[in-house]
Amino acid sequence: IRAKIRIAFSKGAFCRKRGNLICGDRDFSSFEGVTSLSRIFKINARVILYILFFLVVLSFLEFDRKLKKINFNSLLFVFIFLFFISAIRFDVGWDYVSYYNLIEKNVDYYDSQFMRLELFNRYLILLSQYLGFTQLFFIITSFIITFSFYSTLKKYSADVIISTLLFISLPIFFFSSLSIIRQYTAIG
C-alpha cells in the first residue's frame, strides 16, 4: 500500500495517490508527456504578462547597453510603456475600489470620505466626475508618478539601466505605485 503524500498549497492540495496525480478536484493522470506538465502547472496569465512586460523593458534597456551609450529616447519609451500599463489598469491595487467608488459616488458618507483627501486629489476626482470618465483620475496620477520617476532617474542616476530595472523589479517601487496612489502622487 502506497502512502499518501500531501503537500498543502495556498489554494488547494496536490497529492499523489496510487500513482495518479490529483490537483484539487481534477485528476491529471490521463495526460501524458510535456503537455501534462503544462496542464498540471497552469501558468497564470498575470505571470505571463509580467514576464512579457519585463522582457520588453529589458530588451529596450539592453539595446541601449549594447550601443555603449544611454539613449534617453528608448528610456522614454520604457517609461511610456510603464505609464500605459499603469493608466489602463482596472481593479488593481488596494485603494482602486475606494477611488472608483468616490468618483462614481457609490460610498456612504460621501462628503466625509471626499474631504479626507488632499486638495489635488479632490480636484482630480471632481474633474473625473464632471467629465464622467472614471479612468481619468488613474491616467493623470499614473502620468505624474511615471514622469517623476523618469525625470529623477534621468537626472540623478549613475546607471540608468540598472536603476530602471530596479524600479520595475522591486515591488516597493512600480508595483506599489499601483496600490498606494496618493502617496506616490505626493512623492512625484
Side-chain angles (χ1 to χ4, degrees):
I1 299 175
R2 294 183 183 174
K4 291 182 182 178
I5 301 172
R6 269 189 107 83
I7 303 171
F9 288 102
S10 62
K11 291 188 177 182
F14 284 24
C15 64
R16 196 146 197 55
K17 178 180 178 184
R18 295 186 199 129
N20 298 334
L21 183 62
I22 299 171
C23 176
D25 297 328
R26 298 178 70 185
D27 183 7
F28 290 102
S29 60
S30 61
F31 300 112
E32 295 179 8
V34 178
T35 57
S36 67
L37 288 177
S38 65
R39 290 183 183 173
I40 293 170
F41 303 108
K42 286 185 179 177
I43 297 177
N44 194 344
R46 291 179 184 172
V47 174
I48 292 173
L49 287 176
Y50 176 71
I51 291 170
L52 288 175
F53 163 74
F54 194 75
L55 288 175
V56 166
V57 170
L58 186 63
S59 65
F60 276 99
L61 294 175
E62 187 60 29
F63 182 70
D64 277 350
R65 191 174 288 270
K66 293 224 186 250
L67 292 176
K68 302 288 186 200
K69 65 178 183 173
I70 308 268
N71 184 359
F72 287 110
N73 291 334
S74 63
L75 182 69
L76 180 64
F77 176 77
V78 167
F79 275 91
I80 288 172
F81 182 68
L82 292 175
F83 162 71
F84 182 72
I85 296 291
S86 179
I88 65 167
R89 71 182 184 266
F90 181 79
D91 201 14
V92 174
W94 298 326
D95 53 0
Y96 182 89
V97 175
S98 63
Y99 292 123
Y100 183 83
N101 288 333
L102 271 173
I103 295 167
E104 295 291 323
K105 295 185 179 180
N106 292 337
V107 293
D108 296 332
Y109 309 109
Y110 171 78
D111 292 332
S112 64
Q113 292 288 329
F114 183 72
M115 292 309 290
R116 70 180 177 84
L117 299 175
E118 293 82 14
L119 190 61
F120 179 73
N121 289 317
R122 280 190 231 157
Y123 285 129
L124 280 180
I125 288 175
L126 287 174
L127 180 65
S128 296
Q129 288 172 347
Y130 177 74
L131 295 175
F133 184 46
T134 309
Q135 199 66 24
L136 181 68
F137 174 81
F138 302 101
I139 292 170
I140 292 173
T141 55
S142 296
F143 176 77
I144 292 169
I145 292 166
T146 53
F147 178 74
S148 63
F149 272 100
Y150 167 74
S151 61
T152 303
L153 289 179
K154 182 178 170 183
K155 188 173 183 179
Y156 295 110
S157 178
D159 189 354
V160 176
I161 295 171
I162 298 296
S163 300
T164 305
L165 288 176
L166 288 175
F167 172 68
I168 295 166
S169 302
L170 297 177
I172 195 169
F173 296 118
F174 179 68
F175 292 112
S176 287
S177 74
L178 301 176
S179 293
I180 46 179
I181 299 169
R182 280 176 31 215
Q183 289 81 354
Y184 272 89
T185 305
I187 290 171

